[in-house]
Amino acid sequence: MATTWVQEGDIESEKLQEEDPLVGLARQLLKEIGEDPDRDGLRDTPTRFARWWREFINYEAGSVGTLFESVGTQQLVVVSDIQVWSLCEHHLLPFNCSVTIAYRPTDRLLGLSKFARIAHRHAHKLQVQERLVSEIAEDIAMLSGTEDVAVIAKGEHLCMTMRGIKAAAEMTSTAYRGAFSENAELRGELFNLLRS
């Protein structure tokens, strides 16, 4: 069902709230936690909630296939500190990650902005961090034509920080492909670059 977006305070807002299932879910959620969805401050919250979910899930990363001719082989290319947000599929709470992607290009170089686009493409869905790094590594390998790919993500998960143990911690997960999984010296070069 196509949904027409409305601005907050729009006269048609109330009618769309009745028709939009996400708006209805948000209204019900507010009622279930003891709030009045019709009070000032919350009146437009269900519509904003629905808009945010659609914006997050329907994120368009844009083109990820821009390639350039390589200037040499055996180079190590590292793009670090790509900041992404995702949603824990177990609790529907956010987690943020700093993602580092490394690869050894063969005859094709992947355009710089494509690394962030690929990372965001896989973050904008219900996710777990371990799958996130694996999916990013698979895309980089497929697009660049090399199996020599490493992805490292460090993230804080609000499902741990805000609930359960209520302790902040940083989780690191890795995906090593090709030479990165076989060659400790290459991984060491990557770690030295990240430390400097």
Side-chain angles (χ1 to χ4, degrees), residues 7-19:
Q7 296 299 316
E8 293 177 27
D10 191 307
I11 298 171
E12 296 296 315
S13 175
E14 227 173 272
K15 183 178 178 202
L16 281 174
Q17 284 183 6
E18 294 170 9
E19 297 172 4

Side-chain angles (χ1 to χ4, degrees), residues 31-187:
K31 290 176 185 176
E32 292 296 328
I33 63 171
E35 287 287 353
D36 175 7
D38 295 315
R39 76 166 169 82
D40 286 344
L42 289 181
R43 193 169 294 117
D44 293 317
T45 296
T47 302
R48 286 190 294 265
F49 172 88
R51 187 179 303 122
W52 177 85
W53 269 99
R54 288 196 173 89
E55 175 186 316
F56 185 83
I57 295 298
N58 296 323
Y59 175 81
E60 287 295 329
S63 171
V64 295
T66 303
L67 298 167
F68 301 98
E69 185 178 332
S70 180
V71 294
T73 57
Q74 302 306 306
Q75 288 185 332
L76 177 57
V77 176
V78 181
V79 182
S80 58
D81 296 324
I82 301 167
Q83 301 298 314
V84 299
W85 282 92
S86 192
L87 287 169
C88 165
E89 68 180 29
H90 302 136
H91 302 98
L92 300 183
L93 288 171
F95 68 92
N96 68 312
C97 285
S98 175
V99 178
T100 295
I101 303 170
Y103 80 122
R104 288 173 57 184
T106 52
D107 58 340
R108 299 181 286 184
L109 291 171
L110 193 56
L112 180 60
S113 70
K114 307 317 173 197
F115 295 92
R117 291 179 189 276
I118 290 166
H120 280 283
R121 176 200 291 181
H122 292 292
H124 278 259
K125 57 185 172 184
L126 300 183
Q127 190 59 281
V128 294
Q129 186 173 319
E130 297 89 342
R131 186 185 319 119
L132 175 65
V133 295
S134 182
E135 289 177 350
I136 293 169
E138 288 170 19
D139 262 11
I140 297 293
M142 181 194 66
L143 290 165
S144 68
T146 181
E147 286 299 314
D148 302 337
V149 175
V151 179
I152 303 167
K154 295 181 178 183
E156 180 185 2
H157 294 247
L158 297 188
C159 57
M160 180 174 169
T161 305
M162 293 178 64
R163 56 161 299 283
I165 189 67
K166 295 182 183 71
E170 186 175 77
M171 174 183 168
T172 301
S173 53
T174 61
Y176 298 128
R177 304 280 192 272
F180 284 100
S181 65
E182 303 157 1
N183 186 331
E185 189 176 316
L186 182 60
R187 284 193 308 275

